[in-house]
Amino acid sequence: RRTTRGLIKQNKLVRAAALLILCSGFSLLCGCRGEVPPKPTGGVTIVPPIKPDNGPQAYPEAEKSNLPVFTMDYPRIQIPFEITLWMLLASFAKIGFHVYHKITIWVPESCLLISIGLIVGAIMHSVHEEPPAVLTSNVFFLYMLPPIVLDSGYFMPTRIMLHLVLWFAVVGTLWNSIGIGMSLFAICQIEAFGVQDINLQENLLFASIISAVDPVAVLNVFEDVNVNEQLYIVVFGECLFNDAVTVVLYNMFSFVAEMPVVEPVDVFLGVARFFVVGLGGMGFGILFGFVAAFTTRFTSKVREIEPLFIFMYSYLAYLVAELFAISSIMAIVTCALTMKYYVEENVSQRSCTTIRHVVKMLGSISETLIFFFLGVVTITTEHEWNWGYILFTLLFAFVWRGLGVLVLTQIINPFRTIPFNLKDQFGLAYGGLRGAISFALAFTLPDNIGRKQLFVTATIAIILFTVFLQGISIRPLIEFINVRRTNRNLGTINVEIHCRLMEHTIAGIEDLCGQWSHFYWKDKFMKFNNRILRRILIRDSRAESSIVALYKKLELQNAMEILDTVSGDISAAPSIVSLYEEKKSSAKPKKKFLAADLRNMHDILSKNMYKIRQRTVAYTNKHTLPNDSQTKEILIRRHTSIRRSLRPGSFQSTSHKYFSLPAGQSLDLKFPPARLSYTDDHETLSEVAYPTRRSRSGRPTRSSSRAMMPLRRLDTLTEAPSVDTVGDGGRITDHGVSRTNSSYSDSHVAPRRHLNSSNDNDSGSVDNLRNNHHEAPEEEEEPQPSSSSPVWAAEPRDGTTRNPLLRRPQWNPKKK
Amino acid sequence: MGSSSSNMDHIPDAQHLMQETGFSAAHLVRLYERFDFLDKDDRGELRLDDFEAVSELAMNPIGDRIIRAFFSPGRETVDFPSFVRILAHFRPTDTNRTRNGRNGAQPEPANSRTNKLKFAFQLYDQDRDGKISREELLQVLRAMLEMQVTEEQLQSIAERAIQEADLDLDDTISFDEFKKSLEKVDIEHKMSIRFLE
């Protein structure tokens, strides 16, 4: 609901945006106008006065050696200038889209980018300009592709069900390409179309280019339609993998295409090569990942260049793999995956943010540029149009995708706990848009392929078709077939609440039982990881579950976000809002609820209750950073409800000791915090990580006033980041049992033991201030009197100094 | 994953447990492995932080309640039999059992409809007084709803919920009232998970 004023503002914005776009477009045009010949009088050189009169002058007018006031030297800056302008133009386009929020819902982003490209291309064409010939094979493969793939790799959720995703992404794409290739070859045999000169290899090559799908548009729709989570994962995985798969297939087939004769031996060799290439790439990636992780172990003093290591190592992995002609994509993806886990622990929080943002930014730019370029090229190049070939390409692409999804689902459905039904399959099949990579690959085909222009045209056609038609129509279609159950004759409000509770319960129990993962191997790996790898690769590797540190980081970020909002209004902080006491509704007369009220309530409930298992739904948009605000919200609210419901004697109070930052806490942290390596002696340590100069052992001297509650998780409180004036706490994240969602390390384990404040001392003054702010209103919630401290809470973590009061378990099974 | 027989040796009272909970041997072995996995320090019992280490539970709005449900009042650890007994609530209901009727001697199985409902009830009723008070309902609601819901809306929702279910007009929901309000819902299906082998 926008007021008229809002509308006017919007219109102004739109006009401004359009103007900007046009301006940059025109300046680009001017820029493209080849070299501007240097003006003779504009020479920058100051000619020395002893210019002899010998020889005829080059220019008729005398060279007065006046100091030029204004000169222009375009050729010197031409290339960087044009590149920057292109990027800027594309980014303006992106800004422009979000002016109208509704657009981005209905139209996928790739669509919009291509449209802008088309417009610019039309402008260029009308003034008979050529687009800058920058998109060469080298430029694409060496500069534009790595960021895109790094982006996919870096933000890949570790929770992704690899076998499922690989099944659809890899096998599906293979199926597609071989199917399309074969059928196109069959079509080529028909004389009427005049494309007999395309042999099988070239057909296969072309098919491999257009077969990988990028169902990113589907993700947005699926999120709103509450789809089966595994389906979501498959779709998301396809998005991530499609680039990699396309390029790998392309490389494979192009290798084959160049061979004049293909023998059966070559096919086997080809398959073998595929594996070598793939596995080799992974090996390189892992190697580089470990090296990078190891390097970051020592970068505590050079925080500013930490992100550089990440980028350089990944890029290096890519280039070295290219050197050996093995799959550079696998290399960079595995490098990113391996690296991320360890690096995010070693590196400071700001570096981590920087890395993520830059990775996302680079990937985004690259992809934007490619789409944009696609739009421009569509208008400006000479097309070779062949009705038969192109139409059949479209048809086959569609048909084979549908078939592929059908067959693959049929094969794996028996093994799935929740089989994919027809609606899911339709969504999967229809959502198969083609991505930017297809275009880039087609455009950079080697010229020895005779029908290259036809391929380019066909690729453009199929991209445009899928992106525009399918991309725009997919949302209405899916919403149509997934009609929300509006006819649900809503049981009562009661039922709705209880049912949701039960769903959450089931989700929780399933997670507890580890239903999702074949955790046997994962467990083995995690054990190996903990024992060996972490010790080597992580600075100050300590035992798992630094829950406190995690929570502190979470709160920190939350506080920072609050302060970052326009008003910086602390009172908007969620934790404070929920501190309001509920009014005791005693003796209130029974309220009558009208039907409208009821409908409202149902509405509220259905819209606002947390969806089950949000973890992958956070990745709705490939173009934005993963959104974990819901998770944060859950955790923060739990934290506040814990504080509110502290009751002596209740079970909760035993575990959730909350310490608030004592007022007037020293914020000056120039002294290094005590490396609080918790040996087993520390039994009752309350305000644990408060570092003091004196007590190296870590027992804080100042803690007496708060030392009410003994704490259990001693090792978690070893919050000992290095002190840097930039002020980050060490990024100790919890990598306990299940490393879900490690891509955003905020959303880890529940911060039950909320010790954030005491650990904030370690962080820089600025952050501490913020947290202090955040903590200020919570000061009143003091811990309970010591009488209620239960015995078991005092027990230390290890087994040696066992609290005698702890009841021994009846049986002591042999531990593996 | 090792032969089941050798693994069963680790599990004390395996036979008894199987009978009590209705899990098969394969189920039990897998649950035992999971228990072992969660038990980071190899103590033979789980503690609060072991549960909390499961990060998905952290992100569950009612994750803390679920965890608490595993701990019997007064105890701070969960041993394997208790672990399994709680999980037994979530076994799919054996329809043939109910059809044959139960002789009075046999106690109601853990995964009966009533027991499932009881589990859910206890998620609300944290103070174990047998009633869901308005306050408890509000807490759960607050946990499950996003931030955008105002206090008044919450209050009215809770009010309505209690109004619907509260038959004896004591402003709380007792277990029977709870059960009655859910009589049309397929609890057996909603509160069951398929345990892997």
Side-chain angles (χ1 to χ4, degrees):
Chain A
R1 237 155 272 159
R2 305 194 178 275
T3 63
T4 46
R5 200 178 297 163
L7 264 174
I8 293 176
K9 228 190 206 171
Q10 262 202 336
N11 283 335
K12 282 198 186 143
L13 274 174
V14 171
R15 258 180 266 141
L19 209 59
L20 246 114
I21 293 179
L22 280 176
C23 282
S24 20
F26 274 123
S27 54
L28 206 60
L29 276 179
C30 300
C32 291
R33 221 171 264 279
E35 331 246 17
V36 177
K39 302 191 184 23
T41 51
V44 187
T45 58
I46 297 184
V47 181
I50 49 168
K51 188 70 176 174
D53 307 339
N54 48 357
Q57 301 279 16
Y59 301 101
E61 57 258 29
E63 275 215 24
K64 298 200 179 12
S65 46
N66 293 330
L67 200 62
V69 177
F70 175 75
T71 61
M72 212 172 90
D73 185 6
Y74 187 71
R76 181 160 164 258
I77 61 156
Q78 179 176 5
I79 293 181
F81 185 70
E82 287 179 5
I83 294 177
T84 314
L85 268 185
W86 275 98
M87 287 208 245
L88 208 55
L89 188 57
S91 313
F92 281 144
K94 275 200 163 193
I95 297 180
F97 304 151
H98 291 279
V99 169
Y100 273 140
H101 177 58
K102 294 271 185 210
I103 291 189
T104 49
I105 296 184
W106 287 99
V107 180
E109 195 157 327
S110 36
C111 219
L112 294 169
L113 284 171
I114 298 183
S115 328
I116 298 279
L118 285 172
I119 295 177
V120 173
I123 298 177
M124 280 186 147
H125 187 69
S126 60
V127 294
H128 301 290
E129 267 309 318
E130 281 294 316
V134 284
L135 197 60
T136 65
S137 172
N138 257 3
V139 165
F140 173 67
F141 277 104
L142 293 183
Y143 299 113
M144 300 192 87
L145 186 59
I148 296 182
V149 188
L150 180 63
D151 179 15
S152 321
Y154 200 80
F155 289 104
M156 193 173 308
T158 52
R159 193 66 183 183
I160 206 163
M161 301 179 70
L162 209 60
H163 55 286
L164 190 62
V165 166
L166 281 182
W167 177 251
F168 275 98
V170 176
V171 177
T173 311
L174 259 177
W175 167 281
N176 273 352
S177 30
I178 297 184
I180 297 179
M182 296 285 192
S183 11
L184 277 178
F185 184 59
I187 293 293
C188 286
Q189 307 306 98
I190 301 179
E191 291 194 11
F193 297 126
V195 284
Q196 277 144 312
D197 51 332
I198 310 181
N199 59 10
L200 181 61
Q201 293 106 299
E202 290 179 352
N203 268 317
L204 280 176
L205 183 64
F206 174 63
S208 74
I209 295 179
I210 61 164
S211 53
V213 301
D214 185 12
V216 70
V218 181
L219 279 180
N220 294 337
V221 185
F222 275 176
E223 189 221 351
D224 291 339
V225 180
N226 261 340
V227 84
N228 177 2
E229 190 187 357
Q230 299 192 1
L231 185 67
Y232 193 91
I233 291 181
V234 169
V235 170
F236 186 67
E238 280 205 284
C239 286
L240 289 180
F241 276 98
N242 90 95
D243 305 329
V245 174
T246 311
V247 175
V248 168
L249 271 183
Y250 171 82
N251 281 331
M252 201 172 75
F253 280 125
S254 72
F255 189 70
V256 170
E258 278 158 22
M259 293 165 41
V261 181
V262 179
E263 299 166 13
V265 168
D266 292 323
V267 174
F268 283 122
L269 284 181
V271 173
R273 185 188 150 81
F274 183 72
F275 281 109
V276 164
V277 154
L279 292 176
M282 288 214 293
F284 265 92
I286 294 182
L287 177 69
F288 273 97
F290 281 146
V291 173
F294 191 66
T295 312
T296 52
R297 189 177 165 182
F298 304 106
T299 57
S300 48
K301 299 296 178 204
V302 286
R303 295 256 183 231
E304 293 75 19
I305 60 170
E306 267 175 341
L308 196 64
F309 287 110
I310 310 301
F311 300 125
M312 291 301 110
Y313 273 112
S314 336
Y315 198 44
L316 208 59
Y318 186 83
L319 292 175
V320 169
E322 281 281 324
L323 170 66
F324 292 111
I326 57 179
S327 171
S328 42
I329 300 221
M330 294 299 302
I332 200 173
V333 168
T334 29
C335 183
L337 280 178
T338 331
M339 208 166 46
K340 190 167 87 157
Y341 176 73
Y342 299 104
V343 159
E344 289 208 337
E345 295 213 10
N346 281 334
V347 141
S348 74
Q349 180 160 329
R350 289 173 195 221
S351 300
C352 202
T353 314
T354 309
I355 294 174
R356 289 179 185 186
H357 275 273
V358 173
V359 165
K360 205 40 129 169
M361 184 181 77
L362 289 177
S364 192
I365 287 183
S366 223
E367 192 163 358
T368 306
L369 276 179
I370 296 182
F371 271 125
F372 198 69
F373 203 72
L374 167 70
V376 172
V377 163
T378 309
I379 309 270
T380 53
T381 56
E382 293 288 325
H383 288 296
E384 183 184 335
W385 185 268
N386 183 311
W387 276 104
Y389 196 74
I390 295 185
L391 282 182
F392 272 105
T393 306
L394 287 176
L395 179 70
F396 286 139
F398 207 64
V399 163
W400 282 101
R401 170 77 178 163
L403 273 182
V405 167
L406 209 64
V407 167
L408 290 179
T409 334
Q410 286 309 319
I411 295 183
I412 65 164
N413 257 347
F415 303 108
R416 302 230 53 71
T417 48
I418 312 168
F420 291 145
N421 58 12
L422 277 177
K423 283 192 273 184
D424 299 334
Q425 292 173 36
F426 174 75
L428 205 51
Y430 196 72
L433 314 182
R434 266 57 180 179
I437 301 277
S438 310
F439 167 69
L441 285 175
F443 199 72
T444 56
L445 274 174
D447 286 320
N448 57 2
I449 298 201
R451 293 289 208 142
K452 174 178 165 178
Q453 202 48 50
L454 173 62
F455 288 152
V456 172
T457 309
T459 311
I460 294 182
I462 194 172
I463 293 182
L464 288 180
F465 182 79
T466 54
V467 168
F468 279 91
L469 249 77
Q470 287 180 227
I472 297 186
S473 64
I474 190 158
R475 179 173 278 261
L477 274 177
I478 289 197
E479 283 186 356
F480 176 68
I481 64 178
N482 263 313
V483 171
R484 290 196 183 237
R485 292 156 290 153
T486 51
N487 50 354
R488 198 176 40 152
N489 195 350
L490 331 159
T492 54
I493 299 277
N494 235 320
V495 168
E496 199 166 336
I497 300 177
H498 299 325
C499 285
R500 185 57 68 100
L501 179 93
M502 289 195 270
E503 285 169 16
H504 280 299
T505 312
I506 290 293
I509 298 281
E510 278 184 347
D511 291 329
L512 187 62
C513 292
Q515 301 280 69
W516 277 78
S517 53
H518 301 291
F519 64 87
Y520 180 69
W521 289 111
K522 203 169 160 196
D523 177 24
K524 288 265 184 247
F525 174 69
M526 292 304 290
K527 283 211 173 109
F528 166 69
N529 184 31
N530 295 337
R531 275 197 209 111
I532 301 179
L533 289 179
R534 285 175 65 100
R535 283 188 208 285
I536 303 177
L537 298 175
I538 296 185
R539 184 168 30 103
D540 279 342
S541 140
R542 48 188 74 89
E544 314 287 297
S545 330
S546 306
I547 298 175
V548 171
L550 158 77
Y551 195 61
K552 166 205 149 184
K553 189 163 33 95
L554 201 68
E555 289 265 356
L556 198 78
Q557 285 191 318
N558 196 41
M560 284 202 264
E561 277 167 26
I562 292 173
L563 289 171
D564 263 343
T565 61
V566 176
S567 55
D569 190 4
I570 290 289
S571 62
S575 53
I576 297 181
V577 163
S578 46
L579 266 182
Y580 294 155
E581 292 296 320
E582 314 98 31
K583 309 175 213 7
K584 286 285 175 211
S585 55
S586 57
K588 233 187 349 184
K590 281 260 159 70
K591 214 170 124 175
K592 279 296 281 175
F593 288 105
L594 312 167
D597 291 333
L598 285 189
R599 267 199 302 275
N600 269 345
M601 283 188 202
H602 278 292
D603 225 20
I604 292 175
L605 284 179
S606 64
K607 287 208 180 92
N608 284 308
M609 289 214 265
Y610 284 115
K611 302 198 182 88
I612 316 290
R613 284 217 195 95
Q614 286 278 299
R615 52 177 176 239
T616 42
V617 185
Y619 296 88
T620 49
N621 196 348
K622 203 171 146 190
H623 304 278
T624 56
L625 285 169
N627 171 24
D628 54 356
S629 59
Q630 280 220 326
T631 315
K632 278 198 215 166
E633 204 177 285
I634 294 181
L635 291 175
I636 303 262
R637 298 182 85 187
R638 178 165 309 150
H639 153 57
T640 55
S641 74
I642 286 168
R643 271 186 283 124
R644 204 183 319 120
S645 62
L646 279 178
R647 276 180 296 184
S650 88
F651 183 80
Q652 304 153 326
S653 63
T654 62
S655 47
H656 315 302
K657 293 300 167 270
Y658 172 66
F659 293 92
S660 56
L661 189 66
Q665 191 62 252
S666 159
L667 301 177
D668 175 23
L669 302 166
K670 292 302 178 183
F671 54 84
R675 288 279 147 166
L676 308 169
S677 56
Y678 279 89
T679 61
D680 312 336
D681 320 325
H682 297 264
E683 232 172 287
T684 62
L685 204 58
S686 50
E687 220 156 276
V688 173
Y690 183 63
T692 61
R693 281 230 156 93
R694 281 157 262 161
S695 53
R696 258 341 189 114
S697 67
R699 198 164 298 221
T701 53
R702 227 229 223 196
S703 54
S704 48
S705 59
R706 312 273 161 167
M708 296 300 175
M709 295 293 108
L711 294 164
R712 286 181 49 211
R713 300 302 307 287
L714 304 182
D715 56 329
T716 70
L717 305 170
T718 58
E719 174 73 359
S722 69
V723 168
D724 35 306
T725 49
V726 188
D728 342 64
R731 299 196 74 255
I732 308 165
T733 52
D734 175 65
H735 291 293
V737 169
S738 34
R739 299 221 52 250
T740 68
N741 291 334
S742 58
S743 58
Y744 44 99
S745 34
D746 313 321
S747 51
H748 279 289
V749 173
R752 306 306 293 294
R753 226 58 46 68
H754 179 65
L755 279 187
N756 61 351
S757 54
S758 44
N759 294 315
D760 294 339
N761 300 338
D762 298 339
S763 51
S765 41
V766 175
D767 298 343
N768 215 349
L769 231 168
R770 284 183 173 152
N771 239 329
N772 216 345
H773 239 309
H774 183 64
E775 300 301 334
E778 299 155 6
E779 293 259 316
E780 68 261 21
E781 305 257 346
E782 291 291 294
Q784 310 303 328
S786 46
S787 53
S788 62
S789 74
V791 158
W792 61 271
E795 118 195 74
R797 198 69 186 119
D798 67 314
T800 55
T801 57
R802 241 179 222 276
N803 191 322
L805 291 172
L806 176 69
R807 228 175 345 142
R808 302 230 168 245
Q810 288 99 331
W811 46 279
N812 239 329
K814 226 184 327 208
K815 291 300 161 189
K816 301 188 186 112
Chain B
M1 302 215 183
S3 64
S4 54
S5 57
S6 64
N7 278 352
M8 293 286 278
D9 300 339
H10 295 297
I11 311 175
D13 283 342
Q15 290 296 68
H16 183 74
L17 266 181
M18 275 167 58
Q19 198 158 36
E20 191 184 330
T21 58
F23 280 122
S24 71
H27 282 149
L28 218 57
V29 165
R30 193 180 194 277
L31 285 177
Y32 183 71
E33 282 173 1
R34 181 66 179 173
F35 180 83
D36 201 33
F37 180 66
L38 291 172
D39 179 12
K40 289 284 169 339
D41 307 321
D42 286 347
R43 294 170 171 279
E45 56 196 7
L46 296 178
R47 299 168 4 163
L48 196 62
D49 39 357
D50 292 324
F51 280 100
E52 291 167 351
V54 183
S55 44
E56 298 89 339
L57 269 186
M59 292 186 277
N60 196 313
I62 52 169
D64 47 345
R65 289 168 185 260
I66 298 177
I67 294 177
R68 254 176 259 152
F70 277 85
F71 291 83
S72 346
R75 295 207 50 182
E76 298 84 23
T77 57
V78 179
D79 57 1
F80 183 64
S82 328
F83 184 68
V84 171
R85 274 186 212 115
I86 303 276
L87 288 180
H89 287 299
F90 295 95
R91 259 191 349 108
T93 332
D94 315 317
T95 43
N96 40 3
R97 245 203 232 190
T98 51
R99 252 184 235 137
N100 294 344
R102 285 184 302 279
N103 42 354
Q106 211 180 31
E108 206 168 300
N111 60 344
S112 70
R113 187 171 204 273
T114 313
N115 281 332
K116 289 182 196 283
L117 279 173
K118 230 195 180 81
F119 189 85
F121 187 79
Q122 273 166 358
L123 288 177
Y124 283 102
D125 185 21
Q126 292 291 308
D127 54 4
R128 314 273 171 123
D129 61 355
K131 299 190 202 295
I132 303 177
S133 68
R134 187 184 300 261
E135 175 56 38
E136 288 168 337
L137 187 62
L138 270 173
Q139 278 176 10
V140 173
L141 267 180
R142 215 173 271 122
M144 289 206 298
L145 283 167
E146 288 178 9
M147 207 56 83
Q148 277 87 7
V149 182
T150 66
E151 265 310 298
E152 301 83 52
Q153 288 168 332
L154 265 182
Q155 294 281 349
S156 22
I157 293 178
E159 173 73 45
R160 171 72 191 178
I162 292 194
Q163 257 185 32
E164 287 169 355
D166 190 15
L167 301 170
D168 58 1
L169 304 177
D170 60 353
D171 212 29
T172 61
I173 306 180
S174 70
F175 180 60
D176 291 319
E177 291 164 353
F178 185 74
K179 205 158 76 158
K180 187 148 199 335
S181 69
L182 289 174
E183 60 189 355
K184 295 213 183 66
V185 178
D186 183 8
I187 302 288
E188 288 88 341
H189 193 71
K190 272 194 178 304
M191 287 281 274
S192 304
I193 67 177
R194 216 188 73 176
F195 283 95
L196 302 179
E197 311 240 320

